[in-house]
Every structure is written in C-alpha cells, then in structure tokens.
Amino acid sequence: MGYFYFDETIQDRGGFIIGALVYSKNDVTPAVHSSIEQLGMRPGVDEFKSGARMDRNPEQAKLRRSLMEILSKTRVGIVVVPIAARASLGLHALLGLKKILSANNLARESHQLFLDQGITFDRAICNDLLSAFGSTCEVHQSQDSKLIGGIQLADLAAHSLGGILLESLGLTSKLVRAGKNSGYDPALEIELDFELWASLRYQLFKASKPKSEVIADDPIDNLTFDVENFGLHISDDCSPVLKETARQRFGTCYLGCIH
C-alpha cells in the first residue's frame, strides 16, 4: 500500500499554482501528529501552515524543521498549473499521479490519495484516468489537513517549490544565511531558491537519463537525473514562458556535490 498526499501553493505574482504529490509507502500522518504533540501542540487541532511567518512563530519554525525531516524520507512529484485553471487543479493532480504511477513502476500496487480541502474533480474523470492500471487507487477529495497529517508535508513541499519557481521567473530574490551543517561558512548569504532546491532535490521522483543521452566523461551530466518524465506534470494551459521556466527549473536534477 502506498500513500499520496496533495496540496498546493497559489502564487498570484507568478500567475501559477504549484501542487506537490508527496508519496510514502507508509501512512505518515502518525509521524506528523507525533511531531506536533512533541512541541506541546494538539494533533487534529493545531497544524503546520507554510504561509505563517516563521520569524514570528517559533513553534511553527520548529515544526517546519521536524516536518522537513519526515519529508526527507518521502518522494515528491510536482504539478504546475496556471491560476486561470485553478478550478481544474484536482484533474491535474490526477494527471500528475497517473504519470508518476506509470513512469515509476508503481501502477501495480494499491494506493490512497488524499487531496487538501477544496480540491475536487469529477469522479467519472477520475475513474477513466486510473482505470487503465491493474492497481486500485482510492481517492479522497477535500480532506482536512489537520486530520490527514501527510497533507501538511505536501503543503511544505509545495510552498518550497513555489518559492523556487518565483525566483526562476525573476519575480523574487532573497538571500538567507547558510547556517550550521550547510557545508558553507554559516554566515555566508546564499539565494533562498538554492537552499530550497537543495533541501528537496533528493526527494523528487526521477531516474537516470538513458546512456545514449549522457555526455561521456562529463561528471555533471552523469549525475543529472530526469525529473520531467518521472515526476513533473505541467498543464498545457500554462503560458509558454511559465511552461519553459518550470521545465528548465524542475525537469532535471543534479545530485552531485553542490558545495
């Protein structure tokens, strides 16, 4: 049994929505609720919200660090949709799921998908999209993230991915200190999108590029993995600029040393 959790971030400045499909072989909700409880908060009542100001909410900042640790043990797929297509976000979540199941040899297993509140779709369309697989996939629409802790991980992942794409579009630019255990001088200022990407790159659904496409004796190309065909769904409704920027930023992933 596999578990998928989906949530999104809406970025008005960029005119896009990014959704994250977080996958785990086990239900992560107990681990999320345990992290909440350890901080003196109430599972099922309190939750992580990526939109909270972390510098003004120390408990949320601590919870973010704890959830990042849980997220590091999952895999993440990416869905990019223009704001104008917000009503069809649920459909695109299913299209992203279909691609992930097919490309990553997960289609023969049973799965559950939990979508955040307000994310819905036509049930008949869902059945048509997923009926080709031999597996069963039980889909739960419009779920409460306070109760389904995995959705909080998807919220965290989507928010980070949204920040990366905003910077790639040239709409934001922010520097943060590298901090401890970064491999850099802790006082060094680095771009926020670099820090966000570095924290997520290992979790992305991806695969090695075919040998015929790898540049011989190029150490960077040998460690660059294909995300586009394994974990990235971009809506055809995206503008050419948004589509190409998302593809360039998320379509491949370098897993070598970045220090």
Side-chain angles (χ1 to χ4, degrees), residues 11-233:
Q11 298 291 342
D12 293 310
R13 284 175 293 178
F16 66 83
I17 301 171
I18 278 195
L21 278 161
V22 172
Y23 168 76
S24 174
K25 291 183 178 180
N26 303 302
D27 183 7
V28 299
T29 290
V32 172
H33 283 178
S34 177
S35 293
I36 292 171
E37 191 170 28
Q38 288 174 22
L39 290 171
M41 303 164 70
R42 299 163 296 171
V45 177
D46 300 314
E47 66 176 327
F48 173 76
K49 282 296 186 183
S50 60
R53 283 285 301 267
M54 297 297 152
D55 56 341
R56 298 177 184 175
N57 296 275
E59 294 305 313
Q60 284 285 314
K62 292 177 183 177
L63 183 54
R64 183 185 188 279
R65 289 192 291 271
S66 182
L67 296 193
M68 282 298 297
E69 179 63 26
I70 300 172
L71 188 63
S72 71
K73 299 177 177 65
T74 68
R75 301 180 74 184
V76 178
I78 307 169
V79 174
V80 184
V81 176
I83 282 183
R86 183 176 181 179
S88 63
L89 180 61
L91 169 62
H92 286 287
L94 293 176
L95 290 170
L97 175 65
K98 181 181 179 181
K99 184 174 187 177
I100 288 170
L101 292 178
S102 177
N104 295 277
N105 298 316
L106 295 172
R108 296 297 172 182
E109 302 176 20
S110 296
H111 304 283
Q112 300 225 19
L113 169 65
F114 299 88
L115 300 105
D116 191 32
Q117 285 180 325
I119 302 177
T120 60
F121 51 81
D122 183 280
R123 180 62 66 176
I125 292 176
C126 172
N127 293 338
D128 287 344
L129 280 174
L130 301 179
S131 62
F133 297 129
S135 67
T136 58
C137 188
E138 188 175 354
V139 183
H140 308 274
Q141 304 185 58
S142 199
Q143 298 293 295
D144 187 345
S145 56
K146 291 186 179 70
L147 302 178
I148 308 298
I151 294 176
Q152 296 178 48
L153 295 185
D155 173 33
L156 174 56
H159 187 77
S160 298
L161 292 165
I164 293 170
L165 188 52
L166 277 176
E167 290 215 14
S168 296
L169 288 165
L171 298 173
T172 61
S173 180
K174 184 177 180 179
L175 296 175
V176 294
R177 294 193 183 280
K180 296 179 180 179
N181 303 317
S182 65
Y184 297 95
D185 179 343
L188 178 69
E189 291 189 326
I190 59 176
E191 293 178 346
L192 177 60
D193 72 325
F194 177 86
E195 181 190 38
L196 294 173
W197 168 77
S199 68
L200 282 174
R201 60 181 179 147
Y202 290 103
Q203 283 70 64
L204 298 178
F205 277 102
K206 55 191 174 294
S208 302
K209 295 192 295 185
K211 291 183 179 180
S212 60
E213 296 180 11
V214 175
I215 301 174
D217 301 322
D218 185 330
I220 292 179
D221 199 58
N222 274 274
L223 290 172
T224 299
F225 287 68
D226 178 3
V227 177
E228 182 174 2
N229 293 302
F230 292 86
L232 174 63
H233 168 74

